[in-house]
Amino acid sequence: MPADQPSPSTPLDAERAHLAASRAALRTMRAEAEGLDISDVTANWVNAEVLASELAQRIKSLADLAHTPLFFGRVDYEHDLGEADDETGRRFYIGRRHVHDAHGDPMVIDWRAPASRPYYGASKKDPQDVALRRRFGYDGGELTAYEDEHLTDPAEAERSSALLQREIEKPRVGPMRDIVATIQPEQDEIVRAGLSGSVCVQGAPGTGKTAVGLHRVAYLLYAYRDRLARSGTLVIGPNRSFLRYIEQVLPALGELEVKQATVDDLVAGGGIEIRGTDPSGTARLKGDARMAEVLRRAVRSGVRTTPAEGVVVVRGSRRWRVPVDEIAAIVTELLARDIRYGAARDALPQRIAHAVLVRMEAAGEAPDDRVQNAVARNPAVKAVVKEVWPLVDPVKLVLRLLSDAEFLARAAEGILDEEEQKHLLWERPARGVKSARWSPADAVLIDEARDLIERTGSLGHVVLDEAQDLSPMQYRAVGRRCSTGSVTVLGDIAQGTTPWATSGWEEALAHLGKPEAVVEELTQGFRVPRKVIAYASRLLPAIAPELSEATSIRDSEGSLVLREVPVEELDGAAVAACREALEREGSVGLIAADARVPVLSAALTAAGLAHLTPGQETSESARLTLVPASLAKGLEYDYVVLDEPAAVVDGEPDERTGLRRLYVALTRAVSGLTVVHATPLPGELAAG
């Protein structure tokens, strides 16, 4: 601190001074980055563009977010971790990013750094050399309080953190926020698991599994940046509304380059337009893992092991002949190797050319690789390749499979019975690719066919959220994107709301191609209030009896109101409950069966209550969102009004799926839940 400034009079003043100095240091770091002259440091314009892009990202990552705490904690170690002989080697401020002073000494260290780990994991039983852990309380960007734990002091009793509880229960408006200040030890273990292994997180509502997955991405990019910069990372969510809700978490942690997509985004392309939907039974069948073998057969169905005649290659005055039986042997051997269809087709002319070169060498010639490549391009060789191993277009192949009963029967023989084949066939076969009413499940089939022809590129790490809702074929599509990388799978079996939802993680991980993944279960919640999660858990015996009931570390029980009204008063009661919720601080979500959404939207408008749709960002002036039950998964609101639970259940194709959808809707509240109904509640909720 400069000599002309007075010393802080209290510890809080000292911490505020350190915050101010750290912000000043961050501004200096950004100014230095902006002042860098890179005009003459690269050999060519390509390198210059790359360097300029990296510098722009660096400048962007150094932005000081005024309403976001620069640091949220401090650890004082018993022993010096560095070479310094003062407190700089023992005291570390933990924050969202690294900040250093003019001498290069750290003023704030990144929460992902090794020195930060004890901040999350140290305890009275295992202090990990931490003498003091200090948590900070903020109001916006202003430091207002602190709280200390002396982990090596036997006289101090272990207690829960009031500041931690306040941060967890803080009203939320806007997109999902990071949880770096509140990460729990069991969450931290998952976040910091190595890149080489795949992890599956079974997490009950409110356990923070989505946040854990996003923070794991941020940690992996910190610990393995060079490797992942080359191979890439991807976050896959259930829908665009969900992705818009979480999209600010990684940028807040300084990670700006992580791509986000839905499974539908992954398999898009090929010149098709999704204009149709499948009945649930047909969609389930198209998502069945058996379709992979049907497609493999269909892709290879055009291969002829025996050409009509052999190949004659003319070079100069010589003629070289490869007979039918030798070509058949080459084709049979390539089929037996079971490599990608396209790779085998590319190898076939080279194999035929090699057979010609063997004859040339036997005749005393000395051909080289250039001669072999020239023979492989010979019209006669190309003609026989076209005859025995024709090109396959994945879109046209699936079009034929869904339109041609005979073709489907040959590919599905012994795999699908006749009734299942009838379900797959379109009632009115499309005349072409453009006119077909392709469904989302069809796009997944095309993606499988495309991969059978040419290998899909693999990323270094993929985070798959709400994974319980994927079909086996969708798991395969995701697995192709991380076949040589790793994956973090996030989900909750109890929240599986598609007819094809997985019955267990072992099966799902096998379809994903990651059977060795470690399954971790998070049951300690910190978002859903105790009273609310206990009420929702009454459904577990019916929807997922094998799962443990979630608990909550929150001191607040939350509020739970069950309000039965006459059917003619239902709309007005839902509006009134929303109005009551809006009198409190924070966001409000009105969740209803999809069929009820238009009616409730009109009722809210008539009552003068402006409302958003999922994906639109809440703000202080717009805090109410009308949410179809089908889009509620992964979202959270301070107060939830749930309209007519029986309608939510009835809106699904079967009772178990309906009860799972209801379980999702019941567990979106952070502070309070009001259930408004005219029809009797499902019997499972009356239990207990």
Side-chain angles (χ1 to χ4, degrees), residues 10-77:
T10 68
L12 186 58
D13 289 336
E15 300 295 13
R16 286 170 173 163
H18 185 77
L19 175 61
S22 299
R23 288 198 182 281
L26 180 60
R27 289 194 295 272
T28 299
M29 290 170 63
R30 183 180 173 110
E32 289 174 350
E34 291 172 332
L36 286 175
D37 182 3
I38 59 172
S39 57
D40 297 322
V41 298
T42 55
N44 55 60
W45 70 270
V46 176
N47 290 345
E49 288 291 324
V50 171
L51 186 58
S53 176
E54 291 178 350
L55 181 58
Q57 293 296 330
R58 165 76 173 164
I59 293 170
K60 191 174 181 179
S61 72
L62 290 171
D64 184 6
L65 306 177
H67 296 290
T68 301
L70 191 56
F71 57 79
F72 48 81
R74 190 184 106 187
V75 285
D76 292 6
Y77 285 94

Side-chain angles (χ1 to χ4, degrees), residues 535 539 644-647 649 655 658-659 662 677 679-687:
Y535 183 68
L539 297 174
E644 198 63 287
V649 176
E655 185 180 32
L659 290 174
L662 177 58
H677 67 102
T679 304
L681 296 172
E684 291 80 2
L685 287 178

Side-chain angles (χ1 to χ4, degrees), residues 90-111:
R90 294 188 297 108
R91 176 175 298 174
F92 296 92
Y93 288 82
I94 315 300
R96 287 166 173 77
R97 59 155 303 106
H98 173 84
V99 179
H100 59 254
D101 63 16
H103 305 291
D105 293 326
M107 302 187 72
V108 180
I109 64 170
D110 197 299
W111 66 275

Side-chain angles (χ1 to χ4, degrees), residues 529 532 535-536 558-562 591 638-642 665-675:
V532 174
Y535 183 68
S559 62
L560 173 64
V561 177
L562 306 179
I591 303 177
D638 287 289
Y639 294 91
V640 165
V641 176
L642 176 58
L666 288 168
T667 54
R668 300 305 94 201
V670 176
S671 296
L673 170 67
T674 299
V675 178

Side-chain angles (χ1 to χ4, degrees), residues 337-407:
R337 288 176 60 190
D338 203 26
I339 59 177
R340 292 295 194 286
Y341 185 91
R345 191 178 192 279
D346 292 341
L348 180 57
Q350 290 291 335
R351 295 291 298 275
I352 296 172
H354 177 72
V356 172
L357 261 65
V358 169
R359 288 162 171 74
M360 297 172 105
E361 290 169 347
E365 296 190 19
D368 57 18
D369 289 346
R370 289 174 297 176
V371 174
Q372 178 167 332
N373 289 334
V375 172
R377 294 192 299 270
N378 184 277
V381 174
K382 293 169 70 174
V384 78
V385 169
K386 183 177 180 180
E387 178 191 356
V388 302
W389 208 290
L391 283 170
V392 173
D393 181 297
V395 179
K396 292 180 179 178
L397 178 93
V398 174
L399 178 72
R400 184 182 176 193
L401 201 64
L402 300 177
S403 305
D404 185 335
E406 291 184 4
F407 182 59

Side-chain angles (χ1 to χ4, degrees), residues 208-508:
K209 56 185 176 294
T210 295
V212 166
L214 295 174
H215 287 67
R216 176 159 165 73
V217 170
Y219 170 77
L220 292 175
L221 286 168
Y222 175 89
Y224 306 94
R225 189 167 299 280
D226 290 343
R227 193 163 148 195
L228 288 176
R230 294 189 300 270
S231 57
T233 54
L234 175 68
V235 174
I236 302 174
N239 52 60
R240 301 307 306 177
S241 296
F242 178 83
L243 292 179
R244 284 192 292 270
Y245 177 62
I246 68 171
E247 65 185 356
Q248 294 303 316
V249 173
L250 288 167
L253 299 172
E255 301 300 343
L256 307 169
E257 291 299 299
V258 179
K259 295 181 179 179
Q260 298 181 352
T262 66
V263 174
D264 289 344
D265 294 333
L266 286 189
V267 301
I272 70 166
E273 181 182 355
I274 305 300
R275 299 187 297 125
T277 57
D278 291 311
S280 61
T282 303
R284 183 185 307 184
L285 183 58
K286 288 180 178 179
D288 194 301
R290 293 176 295 166
M291 290 302 299
E293 177 60 22
V294 174
L295 287 164
R296 192 188 76 85
R297 290 184 185 180
V299 166
R300 291 166 167 258
S301 63
V303 176
R304 293 178 55 187
T305 55
T306 305
E309 57 185 31
V311 173
V312 177
V313 176
V314 179
R315 286 188 61 82
S317 61
R318 305 291 300 268
R319 295 164 64 87
W320 309 97
R321 180 178 178 81
V322 182
V324 168
D325 60 343
E326 190 168 349
I327 294 173
I330 293 172
V331 173
T332 300
E333 191 269 336
L334 285 173
L335 281 172
R337 288 176 60 190
D338 203 26
I339 59 177
R340 292 295 194 286
Y341 185 91
R345 191 178 192 279
D346 292 341
L348 180 57
Q350 290 291 335
R351 295 291 298 275
I352 296 172
H354 177 72
V356 172
L357 261 65
V358 169
R359 288 162 171 74
M360 297 172 105
E361 290 169 347
E365 296 190 19
D368 57 18
D369 289 346
R370 289 174 297 176
V371 174
Q372 178 167 332
N373 289 334
V375 172
R377 294 192 299 270
N378 184 277
V381 174
K382 293 169 70 174
V384 78
V385 169
K386 183 177 180 180
E387 178 191 356
V388 302
W389 208 290
L391 283 170
V392 173
D393 181 297
V395 179
K396 292 180 179 178
L397 178 93
V398 174
L399 178 72
R400 184 182 176 193
L401 201 64
L402 300 177
S403 305
D404 185 335
E406 291 184 4
F407 182 59
L408 174 61
R410 289 194 299 271
E413 184 179 1
I415 302 174
L416 305 177
D417 61 34
E418 291 185 8
E419 193 63 31
E420 288 174 321
Q421 292 176 36
K422 289 180 182 178
H423 276 296
L424 284 179
L425 290 167
W426 286 329
E427 291 183 9
R428 296 181 179 179
R431 288 175 296 183
V433 170
K434 296 294 185 182
S435 62
R437 293 187 63 81
W438 298 104
S439 71
D442 296 334
V444 179
L445 297 180
I446 292 170
D447 189 72
E448 179 83 24
R450 186 180 295 117
D451 183 73
L452 288 165
I453 298 166
E454 183 177 353
R455 181 183 294 278
T456 304
S458 177
L459 298 162
H461 192 77
V462 170
V463 173
L464 174 61
D465 204 355
E466 301 296 349
Q468 73 281 343
D469 276 339
L470 270 61
S471 70
M473 293 297 286
Q474 288 176 317
Y475 281 121
R476 290 175 62 87
V478 174
R480 289 191 280 277
R481 271 73 184 181
C482 55
S483 58
T484 60
S486 55
V487 64
T488 300
V489 178
L490 311 167
D492 180 10
I493 298 296
Q495 295 186 59
T497 52
T498 56
W500 48 85
T502 187
S503 59
W505 291 122
E506 183 177 353
E507 176 188 346

